[in-house]
Amino acid sequence: MLNAIKLTCTRDERTLFSELSFSVSAGEMVQVAGQNGAGKTSLLRILAGLSQAEEGDVHWQGKTLRRSRDIYHQDLLWLGHQPGIKTVLTAFENLSFFHGDCAAAQRWQALAGAGLVGFEDVPVSQLSAGQQRRVALARLWLSKAKLWILDEPFTALDVVGIEKLTQQMMRHTREGGMVILTTHQPLALSCVRQIVLQDAQS
Ligand SMILES: Nc1ncnc2c1ncn2[C@@H]1O[C@H](COP(=O)(O)OP(=O)(O)OP(=O)(O)O)[C@@H](O)[C@H]1O
């Protein structure tokens, strides 16, 4: 279980959120919602251990991230705003780089799952924005991480890509995984719990 405990985040002397507490349990999908600039990415980065809250703490399986760092890194898959893939490599080579422990057949399957059949051997720099996003998301087909933290994963995806990703997130939570995401897309899923960050200025 992930516990956010009384998190306070301040940027440029503006408090984005204060004393924010919530938990995410196995099998849950949570959408962090709010207007542009409300602090969604800031919150996700804190949850992923990439930045620090001014106050409060994040616990994974009952321990602070500091104390559970190694296990947390194994259990977490973070996909940020940027695709975070290597543009000089092909789609297949990217999956080999990030998931060399998976069999080649699994990597091909992951690319097929993400809708990249026919583009496996093209350098990523020559793919469209949506295809590049699909390469990053193909990692979700291979990852054994329990917790996925996804910042705007639907960006640049077409309708088919959105559907594939939605199905993949649902499969993950059905199997006991956890998903925390931000998106400005309406999510037509009854199983998603929302955490809404109010704009401190409004
Ligand atoms: N490293 C930083 N230094 C200074 N200010 C920052 C930093 N990161 C974010 N901010 C500010 O914090 C506020 C919240 O940014 P954040 O990216 O968390 O918002 P968001 O809710 O994800 O927005 P969007 O929906 O536009 O992606 C913004 O006003 C931003 O300028």
Side-chain angles (χ1 to χ4, degrees):
M1 181 189 277
L2 182 88
N3 288 305
I5 304 163
K6 294 192 168 187
L7 295 177
T8 295
C9 177
T10 305
R11 295 280 183 263
D12 284 339
E13 299 180 2
R14 189 163 76 95
T15 300
L16 299 177
F17 45 85
S18 80
E19 305 226 336
L20 177 67
S21 298
F22 60 89
S23 301
V24 184
S25 304
E28 277 200 298
M29 193 183 306
V30 172
Q31 178 187 7
V32 178
Q35 298 172 354
N36 289 134
K40 303 180 294 299
T41 295
S42 304
L43 174 59
L44 261 53
R45 288 182 61 82
I46 291 168
L47 296 179
L50 297 170
S51 64
Q52 290 283 325
E54 271 68 30
E55 286 173 39
D57 230 329
V58 179
H59 287 195
W60 176 246
Q61 313 296 27
K63 291 183 181 163
T64 63
L65 295 192
R66 226 170 302 110
R67 290 185 58 213
S68 62
R69 184 183 301 267
D70 290 345
I71 188 81
Y72 194 55
H73 281 161
Q74 285 171 32
D75 287 343
L76 169 69
L77 181 79
W78 156 263
L79 290 180
H81 255 289
Q82 302 299 323
I85 48 179
K86 305 207 171 286
T87 52
V88 293
L89 301 181
T90 66
F92 186 77
E93 288 167 345
N94 264 281
L95 290 195
S96 304
F97 179 83
F98 288 110
H99 297 281
D101 54 327
C102 295
Q106 288 177 298
R107 284 176 256 152
W108 290 114
Q109 274 171 13
L111 291 173
L116 285 163
V117 171
F119 296 94
E120 301 94 334
D121 293 326
V122 180
V124 164
S125 58
Q126 292 174 25
L127 295 176
S128 73
Q131 288 171 326
Q132 292 191 14
R133 174 64 60 168
R134 283 178 186 231
V135 175
L137 293 170
R139 298 187 57 198
L140 302 181
W141 271 257
L142 294 172
S143 171
K144 297 179 186 74
K146 291 179 187 147
L147 171 64
W148 294 355
I149 300 184
L150 312 174
D151 195 359
E152 298 282 355
F154 295 108
T155 299
L157 290 184
D158 60 19
V159 174
V160 174
I162 289 171
E163 180 58 24
K164 281 178 182 291
L165 172 56
T166 306
Q167 292 301 327
Q168 191 63 1
M169 293 191 306
M170 285 175 63
R171 183 195 60 76
H172 184 59
T173 52
R174 262 199 316 273
E175 292 175 357
M178 306 171 207
V179 178
I180 305 173
L181 79 156
T182 62
T183 178
H184 291 288
Q185 288 268 338
L187 277 179
L189 294 173
S190 53
C191 55
V192 180
R193 180 157 63 90
Q194 272 203 343
I195 293 169
V196 181
L197 299 182
Q198 307 291 346
D199 187 340
Q201 305 298 305
S202 64

